[in-house]
Amino acid sequence: MAGEEYSRARNCGTDPKRSGEFQEASPCEQADLPQSILEPILLRVATQNGFRLRWNTRLIKFEQDSGNGHVRSLIEDDVTGQQITVVSRYLCGADGGRSTVANKLQLPFNDAPGGGLALNVLCEADLPDFCAFAIARFVKPFTEWVFVLLSKPGITKVTASEEEIVAHVRELIGDPAVPVKLKQISQWKVNECYAEQYSRGNVFCLGDAVHRHPPFNGLGSNTCIQDAYNLAWKMAYVLKGKAGASLLASFSSERQPVGQRVVKRANDTGRMHAKLLQLMGVPEPDVQKKQQILDQFKEDSQEGATMRATFRQLIDDLDQERHGFGCEMNQLYQSQAIYTDDEAGAAPRFRGLDAELHYLESTFPGSRLPHAWLRAPNTVGPGEAMLSTHDLAGKGRFTIFTGLGGKTGWKEAADEAVRKLGIEVAVYSIGWRQDYEDVFFAWENKRGVAEKGAVLVRPDRTVAWRSQNLVSTGQLERVMRSILDREERAKKVVLLWARQQKSPQVWAPQFKTQVYQCLEDTGGKCLGSFAHGRSLPSASHPGLVVHGLGTIALPLFEREARRLKKACHQAPFGKGSQTLVDTKVRDTWELNADQFKLRSHAWQATLDNTLRRVAQALGVAGGSTAIRAELYKLLLYDKGAFFDSHTDTEKVPSMIGTLVIALPSKHTGGDVETSFKGKTLTCNWETYEDDADSSAEGDGGSGYGSKIHKYHELAEVYDNSLRLRTFCRANGQLLARDIDIEGENIIQDDAFDRAPDKEDYEGYTGNAGASATHIYRNSCIVMIPRSNIVSFLLEHASIGFVSLDGWLGPMTDEVKDDPTDERPKKELTRICHLFLTAYTNGTDERPGISRYDRSLNSFSDIALGVVARAALHLKDQTLFDKASSACMECLPIEIYSAFGGTLDIADLTQWSSSLLLALGRVSKVHLRWEAVKTTLEARNASQQDSLPLVSDALGNLLRQSIEDILSLEVITCKLDAQAIIDIIQAYGFGFLFKHILPFVKKHVTNATSTITFLVLLFEAEKLGTFKAGLSKNIYRDVLADLVPLFKVESDFTLRNGRSMYTITPSEQKDVDFIEPIEVADLLDHCKTLGLAEEREGLMDQLVVASKSADPSVFAKLFIPLLKRMVVLSHSANLPITDTIPRHFTKSIIDEFVLRYFEPEPEKPRDWAQARTGCHNGCGDCSRLNTFLVNTQERTGRFAIAEKRRRHLTNQLSYSGCTLDTEYRGIPYTLVVTKTEKKWHGHQKAWRTRCRVAEQSFEDIGVEALHEILGEDYERAVDCKSKKAASTADREAGPAVEAPPRSLIRPTPVGTINQPVPFSTAILAKAQQQAARKTPLQALTQPRAAPTNAVPLKPREGVSKVEIIDLTME
């Protein structure tokens, strides 16, 4: 550490090029907390919040109760030897890399060969600042350090003494004067191991117990904490009855892929470090040879240069560790707790290295909630409070984010879900003058939905669902039920599916009877009653405390009852989807559970005893340990109070009844009557006696908040329908949705012989009679014979959703696991062939092209990939070819991995035609290369090279496939450019000149992919991947074709000469935008290569493009291009004038000013608006236009029939007027109100353009503009002044004197936050329009420093800097 320094690297977002990305992603700063510091903090918080910790205790064994699922764990105190059995609902094993829980649970692990042993040596050593980066890391700068000592290969046990380890640490420090105090030594194994599932039953493993890896990338503690964060809220919801038990299954589904990825990333980084150490000779045991290797770094030779270049490349590659932001943040959960059914497309994803380095913020369900700074309400000025979206979410509740116009609708939907599900949902509207204001427009850019849409966020701040616009009230409830496993359950109905579409087959009546009888026999007999009631003579005092009133004395007398009544509210009841208060139905007062508490410790014993009696009386399996009671309401029955007859409903999952306990009070009457299947039980509440401290309790099928049992009788049934809403396997895997069924398939005759779950009623209207729809919701068991599976799939794929993978996946796995078993192979073959026979309706005359039944809309190329995968494992070549030919585009890329890994050499030779057929369907270059590469990697999985190119027939066949696609005219994209570079590396320079270069020149009209290819080629040559001088010749050849054809479309896209609006929707996902960074890099490369003529030609074309491109293109292309060119000039330590021609910059700036600036939209002086209407002599439109052009009249009223009202409404669609209908009188009246909506829209667009202009000049920099333009800088200012003057002329305003030069002076080099370079024109315009309070004016006025500004103390050796405050008031 005291030796020579070889390199420095910034870490964790401290690189100026990356710091903004890190800051934008989170409201929190990063913290580097080693375990020795973090763990005491966690322990302190845990103990302060009532958690009990047991030290010196170990787990001996555990077992799960097969009946109720409870876990019995035997633990032992290592000090006393005492053993204790703990019974719990769940067991969580967060017990580290040598997890006892994971071992005893026998979780399946994927364990790669280990990387040896390692020691963490914690010691105190006061080291100077030059030791900030070495093979050690500091714990407390710079006095406490951890040294990581890796063992030599083959070492299985560390035998070194403490003295030897300390001596080694001293040797590593390299300064004998530094005292070293050993604090701790811990040994660990370098693992590459992850569990394939994280739980079994009610036992869960998390943290290092399920993902074990070295500490590279620093992802260990983060991933462990994320595991706990994911599991905790789910377990809390299930324990509180807010979610079904299967919610916990999503823990493994969501976190296992993350753990697997982290293990791979950490070990890949470790291997990169190993390459670096190998290059520097660290493993070399001979000291002399090691010194020779190090000396080679200093040599002025080809070997020395190669070594230094390789060293630099390895350091750059390790950026994936130092700034692997994407690896940390790009977690996309996929499980039943994420609702994606409403998404039109797939989740946005990075490709290649970007996914490791950069964070892709999105509200796609399963993503982390994007961070955006919001302004809190009623705050303004420098000290205004800013909150993050993360501050509003979480806190154990769900959160909905919506925008202007969406708050009311989503609040109603949330209230309905809260009422029915008993969960907490917060709703926030973000936007202009809403709950929180999006002052930076960050949320608007990230939310991914319309203003009235919504983003639903889980308690762990993960997006659970989003809706583009407002939906019906019940949709949110349905989504929440799906996420929380709260699907409504009732009587189990058994459905036998037997009807086939073309060859009907029905079950014999006697068979249905036999199945029904069999199921009835297995159900057993109920040993208890449906209800129970009795007195509690020995009940303890509950200790009733009401918020705002304090302790309530019991027994309850009239005076105390009146006081309590004032704190209560009238009890509502549920009716359909509504919550009503009607004293004719229910006359009762109530308190919610959060308004009171029962604080007596002895009360719990009373409740436990009551539950034992209830469980025994009702015949609950498992006794009282299988049930629990949760506080729900406190009801106060006044004189004459009652609750009419009604049907009780399930308030939480697995609820079996309502437990009612009458607290001591002096009263009479109050009977509770419950009935079930003709039986009735009445509980008589006893009158309170002064000498008895007693209560009464009852449990049964009646309770608060249920639906009224008064449904309208259906005199005549016009229609009925049965539908399977969701159809799943027993393990929860989705098979189908929205499947219509027939009543004849249901075994029971009385499946719906009960009150409906919901009623939609419409009363009498005019001459129409009343109508009602009764809705029943049942859970059912579906039994389908294997022989009918295909008919089921094909019959319902055209009208609902059918998951082919759900049906064929398990059957394929069965064949894969046991290839010798012929029975499943024959069945799978039969089903696949029958499916494809029905799916394809004949073959086209062209080979390899098929027509298919497009009515089977559930099936896509992914589904056909399932069939192709099955064909590979069945080794059925005909089946594979049919699946490949039936694809609309191509088989999923994953199939080629199975192709290369499943078939042996003999099979590959036989299957060559099938492989060519499948590859021929891949019409995009990067996908074709990905398929070829995937096949090769799978074929050579046993070798070490990541991309071994086999020289056998398979390798030649795959190469021929690449040659074939390069000979075609295809639609190219930027991803193709990277693939082409990879292809050159794989197949060599001969392939480049014979196939690649002709392909690039043929598609040169797609400038975007061509520029990307040239830039990547130059960078590859610079890194030594390609030979020197290669790129210059190719640049010259390609640019000769590119420059004459180069152009920028008005919508800022380049796509084979077509804009984004001229291509099909399926192609839009491949549309590329011109990257200003790549254009600047291309110009820089031309200068480096000496291609002055080509560089000048390209800049001339850019200037020409700036004269016709849409003004918005300046902010997207031209200004960032100039900024990048300035950055490249500074990086190369060259004068800006040598790299950026003045005429080029001046032309761009002139066009920017002349075409981008416009006068501020004037506020309308009256209410006159533009005419509209059909222009066909329509009398209504004539009246409407008379109203619109009227300068004084703001509201117009049109009493006309419905059809004519609709006609006027259509004419006013884009007028900015508000439309309402008055339902008084005949005909109804359309009320049209004029607004300033259009002007506000123009004003907003103008302010946005001003902000963009300000930011544009700030991005380029005043100093740079002065240096580039020189005297022309003033002409540019004059040019803008002319623009302002022309505006002033049009407004007939007076001339404005230019502001002092001090306002636009160049800022000295070295200042922080350089001021925005406003020109005299902008300032003149701002002064001229002072009365309008333009956003530019605020920036021209001097303002005082904030009162809370903290002075910065300059460090020693650093020159004083000027800090300029540019915050907006």
Side-chain angles (χ1 to χ4, degrees):
M1 295 174 68
E4 294 181 70
E5 178 176 304
Y6 280 75
S7 72
R8 294 191 184 195
R10 294 181 171 93
N11 192 37
C12 297
T14 57
D15 190 327
K17 293 182 291 186
R18 298 295 306 280
S19 59
E21 182 179 352
F22 280 65
Q23 295 171 11
E24 180 71 10
S26 173
C28 304
E29 296 180 356
Q30 288 191 322
D32 186 359
L33 286 179
Q35 186 175 350
S36 58
I37 295 178
L38 175 61
E39 196 165 273
I41 297 174
L42 299 178
L43 292 174
R44 182 171 65 252
V45 174
T47 53
Q48 290 174 349
N49 285 275
F51 288 87
R52 298 174 60 188
L53 303 175
R54 288 182 176 270
W55 301 100
N56 301 309
T57 305
R58 62 191 177 97
L59 176 68
I60 304 298
K61 64 178 181 179
F62 65 86
E63 59 184 11
Q64 298 189 64
D65 190 322
S66 59
N68 56 26
H70 289 182
V71 183
R72 299 174 63 88
S73 304
L74 180 65
I75 61 176
E76 182 179 88
D77 189 311
D78 285 338
V79 177
T80 64
Q82 180 186 11
Q83 293 189 345
I84 302 173
T85 299
V86 178
V87 180
S88 59
R89 285 281 300 276
Y90 301 103
L91 171 64
C92 297
D95 48 346
R98 293 185 287 269
S99 171
T100 300
V101 178
N103 183 43
K104 293 185 180 298
L105 198 60
Q106 296 182 339
L107 292 180
F109 276 85
N110 189 309
D111 194 356
L117 297 178
L119 290 180
N120 278 8
V121 181
L122 178 64
C123 61
E124 292 181 0
D126 192 0
L127 302 179
D129 286 359
F130 67 77
C131 297
F133 178 78
I135 58 173
R137 61 159 294 176
F138 57 75
V139 177
K140 297 177 182 178
F142 294 93
T143 60
E144 189 169 306
W145 296 76
V146 168
F147 291 82
V148 181
L149 311 182
L150 299 173
S151 68
K152 296 178 180 179
I155 300 295
T156 59
K157 183 178 181 181
V158 177
T159 58
S161 64
E162 290 188 2
E163 291 75 16
E164 291 173 324
I165 292 174
V166 170
H168 190 57
V169 169
R170 292 184 187 278
E171 183 180 356
L172 292 173
I173 295 173
D175 185 353
V178 176
V180 176
K181 179 181 177 182
L182 186 64
K183 299 189 69 174
Q184 184 182 356
I185 299 175
S186 58
Q187 178 178 315
W188 52 279
K189 182 182 177 183
V190 180
N191 285 308
E192 187 169 359
C193 177
Y194 60 86
E196 296 177 346
Q197 68 185 67
Y198 283 9
S199 65
R200 279 185 176 169
N202 285 349
V203 181
F204 300 83
C205 289
L206 61 158
D208 288 349
V210 285
H211 38 77
R212 305 163 188 176
H213 55 86
F216 300 111
N217 280 78
L219 302 176
S221 296
N222 291 344
T223 311
C224 296
I225 293 171
Q226 290 164 12
D227 286 348
Y229 194 48
N230 183 283
L231 178 61
W233 77 269
K234 297 174 181 177
M235 192 168 286
Y237 267 55
V238 173
L239 287 171
K240 294 176 181 178
K242 296 181 179 180
S246 66
L247 174 65
L248 292 170
S250 66
F251 167 66
S252 185
S253 303
E254 293 178 354
R255 294 302 303 168
Q256 194 279 336
V258 176
Q260 179 177 341
R261 179 184 177 188
V262 165
V263 169
K264 183 179 185 301
R265 174 70 269 156
N267 281 278
D268 284 349
T269 302
R271 285 184 275 269
M272 293 165 67
H273 276 284
K275 291 181 180 179
L276 183 63
L277 297 176
Q278 183 73 36
L279 176 69
M280 301 180 68
V282 173
E284 174 58 54
D286 190 316
V287 177
Q288 186 175 359
K289 290 182 179 180
K290 184 180 297 186
Q291 186 61 50
Q292 291 175 355
I293 294 174
L294 294 175
D295 290 340
Q296 208 169 33
F297 273 86
K298 309 172 186 177
E299 291 180 1
D300 182 13
S301 63
Q302 182 61 40
E303 292 77 11
T306 302
M307 194 172 188
R308 290 189 294 272
T310 305
F311 178 83
R312 164 68 187 277
Q313 182 60 49
L314 290 172
I315 292 295
D316 289 345
D317 290 344
L318 283 171
D319 205 32
Q320 297 181 52
E321 178 184 30
R322 299 186 298 268
H323 292 100
F325 202 38
C327 185
E328 296 178 38
M329 307 289 282
N330 288 331
Q331 300 175 5
L332 183 67
Y333 291 160
Q334 295 176 311
S335 73
Q336 67 184 43
I338 300 296
Y339 196 94
T340 58
D341 292 357
D342 296 338
E343 293 297 321
R349 289 181 180 273
F350 278 123
R351 290 182 178 271
L353 191 61
D354 282 349
E356 299 292 325
L357 288 175
H358 300 286
Y359 171 39
L360 179 61
E361 289 186 285
S362 170
T363 60
F364 190 94
S367 304
R368 175 182 180 268
L369 171 66
H371 153 64
W373 285 118
L374 309 172
R375 190 179 75 177
N378 303 320
T379 59
V380 105
E384 63 188 10
M386 301 296 290
L387 289 88
S388 168
T389 47
H390 282 239
D391 295 324
L392 302 180
K395 304 178 180 65
R397 67 190 180 192
F398 280 76
T399 308
I400 291 177
F401 292 96
T402 185
L404 186 64
K407 177 70 178 285
T408 302
W410 286 111
K411 186 68 169 65
E412 291 176 357
D415 290 344
E416 182 71 4
V418 168
R419 186 184 70 80
K420 291 188 175 182
L421 301 178
I423 60 174
E424 186 178 0
V425 182
V427 181
Y428 297 105
S429 180
I430 299 175
W432 183 260
R433 299 300 183 262
Q434 298 300 295
D435 297 338
Y436 294 90
E437 293 198 65
D438 185 17
V439 291
F440 296 112
F441 303 102
W443 176 247
E444 181 177 342
N445 294 331
K446 299 175 183 180
R447 68 190 180 197
V449 298
E451 272 192 313
K452 292 184 180 180
V455 177
L456 177 67
V457 183
R458 302 190 320 193
D460 60 347
R461 295 181 173 87
T462 297
V463 177
W465 172 67
R466 64 179 180 180
S467 176
Q468 289 297 325
N469 287 290
L470 273 171
V471 295
S472 61
T473 303
Q475 176 64 6
L476 177 62
E477 180 196 346
R478 288 190 289 273
V479 170
M480 297 293 291
R481 287 188 179 277
S482 175
I483 292 170
L484 296 174
D485 184 38
R486 291 283 298 274
E487 295 294 339
E488 294 179 295
R489 295 175 175 83
K491 183 188 298 182
K492 294 294 185 292
V493 178
V494 178
L495 176 70
L496 290 175
W497 185 267
R499 190 171 61 84
Q500 297 187 22
Q501 193 173 27
K502 296 183 179 179
S503 55
Q505 170 191 359
V506 297
W507 296 106
Q510 62 270 24
F511 181 70
K512 290 176 60 175
T513 303
Q514 291 170 359
V515 174
Y516 177 72
Q517 188 61 48
C518 178
L519 295 171
E520 282 288 295
D521 293 342
T522 60
K525 301 297 182 180
C526 180
L527 302 178
S529 172
F530 68 91
H532 171 68
R534 58 163 294 168
S535 62
L536 301 174
S538 59
S540 302
H541 194 288
L544 176 61
V545 177
V546 177
H547 298 329
L549 298 180
T551 302
I552 301 297
L554 295 178
L556 187 68
F557 289 95
E558 186 173 353
R559 180 178 178 181
E560 195 77 343
R562 285 198 298 270
R563 191 166 74 98
L564 180 59
K565 183 177 179 179
K566 292 180 179 179
C568 294
H569 55 269
Q570 193 78 47
F573 62 91
K575 182 178 182 181
S577 60
Q578 301 178 346
T579 301
L580 306 175
V581 174
D582 188 348
T583 55
K584 296 178 181 179
V585 176
R586 182 177 196 181
D587 189 4
T588 318
W589 298 90
E590 73 171 23
L591 289 175
N592 295 330
D594 59 354
Q595 294 179 284
F596 70 96
K597 293 181 179 179
L598 303 178
R599 287 188 170 176
S600 172
H601 295 293
W603 177 252
Q604 187 61 46
T606 297
L607 190 59
D608 291 342
N609 292 331
T610 302
L611 287 177
R612 279 194 290 271
R613 296 191 184 100
V614 168
Q616 183 178 5
L618 299 186
V620 176
S624 61
T625 59
I627 59 175
R628 67 181 186 277
E630 296 181 357
L631 200 60
Y632 186 51
K633 300 283 184 185
L634 186 144
L635 301 176
L636 180 66
Y637 282 79
D638 203 355
K639 183 178 181 179
F642 68 93
F643 193 176
D644 231 348
S645 174
H646 61 281
T647 301
D648 201 14
T649 58
E650 191 179 48
K651 311 300 186 303
V652 295
S654 305
M655 173 180 166
I656 64 169
T658 303
L659 176 64
V660 182
I661 299 181
L663 299 179
S665 61
K666 191 173 182 64
H667 69 278
T668 56
D671 294 348
V672 176
E673 186 177 273
T674 57
S675 61
F676 179 71
K677 285 191 174 181
K679 299 179 182 179
T680 301
L681 176 68
T682 302
C683 295
N684 304 103
W685 302 127
E686 297 180 354
T687 300
Y688 172 76
E689 302 295 343
D690 291 341
D691 59 347
D693 184 12
S694 63
S695 298
E697 55 91 3
D699 186 283
S702 66
Y704 160 80
S706 303
K707 299 174 183 177
I708 300 302
H709 190 58
K710 293 181 180 178
Y711 293 98
H712 296 84
E713 183 178 355
L714 301 180
E716 184 177 357
V717 178
Y718 291 99
D719 187 27
N720 61 62
S721 63
L722 294 170
R723 171 170 289 190
L724 290 177
R725 292 174 59 191
T726 55
F727 185 17
C728 304
R729 290 188 182 277
N731 63 2
Q733 185 180 19
L734 180 66
L735 295 176
R737 282 196 308 268
D738 299 326
I739 302 299
D740 290 328
I741 57 177
E742 300 293 337
E744 65 188 26
N745 295 114
I746 299 177
I747 287 182
Q748 296 100 317
D749 295 327
D750 59 347
F752 304 102
D753 187 13
R754 58 179 176 82
D757 297 299
K758 181 181 178 181
E759 180 185 68
D760 291 336
Y761 175 74
E762 295 184 7
Y764 293 90
T765 56
N767 295 326
S771 64
T773 300
H774 288 183
I775 300 172
Y776 300 81
R777 298 188 182 97
N778 286 19
S779 296
C780 65
I781 300 170
V782 182
M783 302 169 63
I784 304 180
R786 284 179 178 266
S787 58
N788 287 11
I789 288 178
V790 174
S791 62
F792 175 86
L793 292 175
L794 298 178
E795 180 173 349
H796 295 288
S798 60
I799 56 176
F801 169 82
V802 175
S803 170
L804 192 64
D805 188 32
W807 291 94
L808 299 187
M811 300 177 69
T812 303
D813 292 337
E814 187 178 357
V815 171
K816 179 182 176 182
D817 294 339
D818 187 6
T820 61
D821 191 347
E822 294 297 324
R823 183 194 59 79
K825 292 172 67 174
K826 290 180 180 179
E827 183 65 19
L828 180 59
T829 301
R830 186 186 70 84
I831 291 177
C832 289
H833 276 288
L834 285 175
F835 163 70
L836 283 179
T837 299
Y839 189 60
T840 55
N841 294 329
T843 305
D844 200 305
E845 296 177 356
R846 293 170 295 169
I849 306 298
S850 294
R851 299 189 301 270
Y852 46 86
D853 186 356
R854 293 182 181 242
S855 67
L856 302 179
N857 51 32
S858 286
F859 300 125
S860 63
D861 290 355
I862 295 177
L864 291 168
V866 175
V867 177
R869 174 175 172 265
L872 286 171
H873 289 286
L874 291 168
K875 297 189 176 181
D876 188 330
Q877 191 171 356
T878 302
L879 177 62
F880 182 90
D881 290 348
K882 289 180 68 176
S884 179
S885 300
C887 289
M888 293 182 65
E889 293 185 2
C890 63
L891 292 172
I893 296 299
E894 294 77 10
I895 292 301
Y896 298 94
S897 177
F899 204 111
T902 304
L903 306 174
D904 54 31
I905 296 177
D907 292 328
L908 287 171
T909 302
Q910 178 184 345
W911 281 61
S912 59
S913 60
S914 298
L915 180 57
L916 280 177
L917 173 63
L919 289 171
R921 303 284 291 173
V922 186
S923 60
K924 295 180 175 58
V925 173
H926 67 280
L927 291 179
R928 178 79 66 97
W929 172 243
E930 189 69 24
V932 167
K933 186 170 63 172
T934 301
T935 305
L936 287 170
E937 288 174 343
R939 173 70 180 82
N940 300 275
S942 59
Q943 300 182 26
Q944 296 298 320
D945 295 336
S946 60
L947 183 58
L949 292 175
V950 294
S951 58
D952 57 11
L954 174 63
N956 295 331
L957 183 146
L958 296 175
R959 174 171 172 149
Q960 182 61 49
S961 176
I962 296 297
E963 293 176 1
D964 291 343
I965 195 170
L966 292 177
S967 66
L968 303 174
E969 282 200 27
V970 296
I971 299 175
T972 60
C973 63
K974 292 181 66 173
L975 295 175
D976 295 337
Q978 180 61 64
I980 288 173
I981 297 298
D982 294 341
I983 293 171
I984 296 173
Q985 289 182 261
Y987 294 128
F989 299 117
F991 197 90
L992 164 65
F993 291 106
K994 184 176 181 180
H995 300 286
I996 297 292
L997 192 56
F999 175 82
V1000 172
K1001 290 170 65 65
K1002 181 166 53 178
H1003 295 83
V1004 76
T1005 52
N1006 186 346
T1008 308
S1009 59
T1010 305
I1011 291 173
T1012 303
F1013 163 71
L1014 292 173
V1015 170
L1016 292 176
L1017 181 71
F1018 181 89
E1019 295 296 336
E1021 180 183 310
K1022 184 178 177 182
L1023 294 174
T1025 306
F1026 300 146
K1027 64 182 180 181
L1030 174 68
S1031 60
K1032 181 173 182 177
N1033 295 328
I1034 295 179
Y1035 261 59
R1036 182 183 289 112
D1037 193 5
V1038 173
L1039 288 175
D1041 295 338
L1042 172 65
V1043 171
L1045 301 174
F1046 182 86
K1047 64 178 179 177
V1048 179
E1049 299 288 350
S1050 61
D1051 59 2
F1052 191 49
T1053 61
L1054 284 178
R1055 191 83 162 70
N1056 283 346
R1058 295 183 295 160
S1059 80
M1060 190 171 80
Y1061 305 106
T1062 62
I1063 63 176
T1064 63
S1066 63
E1067 294 174 333
Q1068 287 191 10
K1069 61 180 180 294
D1070 293 326
V1071 170
D1072 290 325
F1073 296 92
I1074 305 175
E1075 292 288 350
I1077 291 179
E1078 292 187 346
V1079 176
D1081 289 346
L1082 181 66
L1083 293 172
D1084 186 61
H1085 297 167
C1086 288
K1087 180 176 178 59
T1088 303
L1089 297 171
L1091 302 175
E1093 183 178 347
E1094 288 80 0
R1095 184 172 186 264
E1096 188 71 22
L1098 188 57
M1099 286 193 289
D1100 289 343
Q1101 290 289 61
L1102 286 167
V1103 171
V1104 172
S1106 70
K1107 298 179 182 299
S1108 59
D1110 188 270
S1112 63
V1113 177
F1114 284 93
K1116 299 175 182 177
L1117 173 62
F1118 295 112
I1119 298 301
L1121 171 62
L1122 290 176
K1123 178 185 176 182
R1124 174 65 176 175
M1125 294 175 75
V1126 171
V1127 171
L1128 291 173
S1129 176
H1130 289 320
S1131 299
N1133 293 320
L1134 294 174
I1136 294 180
T1137 52
D1138 289 353
T1139 58
I1140 311 177
R1142 290 181 179 178
H1143 73 277
F1144 173 71
T1145 306
K1146 182 178 182 300
S1147 299
I1148 296 296
I1149 295 296
D1150 285 349
E1151 289 298 328
F1152 175 58
V1153 174
L1154 290 172
R1155 303 188 61 240
Y1156 200 83
F1157 282 98
E1158 292 179 355
E1160 179 184 8
E1162 281 193 46
K1163 185 174 183 178
R1165 295 185 175 90
D1166 51 44
W1167 289 109
Q1169 298 201 4
R1171 293 174 177 270
T1172 184
C1174 58
H1175 307 294
N1176 293 329
C1178 169
D1180 291 333
C1181 288
S1182 177
R1183 287 179 53 211
L1184 176 63
N1185 282 322
T1186 301
F1187 159 70
L1188 290 174
V1189 299
N1190 190 296
T1191 59
Q1192 303 299 321
E1193 193 174 2
R1194 186 181 180 188
T1195 303
R1197 305 172 64 83
F1198 303 86
I1200 50 181
E1202 180 182 3
K1203 185 175 181 180
R1204 294 162 63 188
R1205 292 199 308 273
R1206 285 202 304 267
H1207 174 67
L1208 290 190
T1209 300
N1210 293 334
Q1211 305 308 315
L1212 292 167
S1213 298
Y1214 302 101
S1215 66
C1217 298
T1218 60
L1219 308 176
D1220 294 296
T1221 302
E1222 283 187 0
Y1223 297 96
R1224 291 184 295 180
I1226 300 296
Y1228 297 154
T1229 301
L1230 175 67
V1231 181
V1232 181
T1233 304
K1234 300 175 184 176
T1235 69
E1236 295 179 341
K1237 183 177 179 181
K1238 276 195 171 182
W1239 173 74
H1240 284 299
H1242 295 319
Q1243 185 81 356
K1244 180 180 179 181
W1246 177 80
R1247 290 179 178 273
T1248 300
R1249 292 165 75 87
C1250 288
R1251 283 195 299 270
V1252 171
E1254 297 157 10
Q1255 187 62 47
S1256 298
F1257 288 114
E1258 181 182 5
D1259 287 345
I1260 299 173
V1262 182
E1263 187 73 22
L1265 285 174
H1266 267 278
E1267 187 176 347
I1268 297 170
L1269 299 175
E1271 295 179 357
D1272 290 337
Y1273 179 81
E1274 300 299 336
R1275 296 180 185 176
V1277 172
D1278 290 340
C1279 180
K1280 288 178 275 187
S1281 297
K1282 292 176 183 177
K1283 179 67 178 179
S1286 65
T1287 300
D1289 291 341
R1290 286 194 298 269
E1291 298 176 353
V1296 180
E1297 183 179 352
R1301 282 280 295 151
S1302 60
L1303 289 177
I1304 55 173
R1305 70 184 186 277
T1307 304
V1309 177
T1311 58
I1312 295 178
N1313 294 338
Q1314 296 187 10
V1316 181
F1318 297 110
S1319 69
T1320 54
I1322 301 176
L1323 292 173
K1325 187 174 183 180
Q1327 294 169 358
Q1328 181 181 355
Q1329 299 173 344
R1332 299 178 185 173
K1333 300 293 184 183
T1334 69
L1336 294 175
Q1337 179 198 24
L1339 292 173
T1340 65
Q1341 297 174 347
R1343 51 190 299 265
T1347 57
N1348 58 350
V1350 179
L1352 295 180
K1353 181 180 179 181
R1355 292 182 58 185
E1356 220 175 282
V1358 179
S1359 59
K1360 187 176 180 180
V1361 297
E1362 178 186 359
I1363 298 177
I1364 300 173
D1365 184 13
L1366 290 178
T1367 55
M1368 297 280 289
E1369 290 195 77

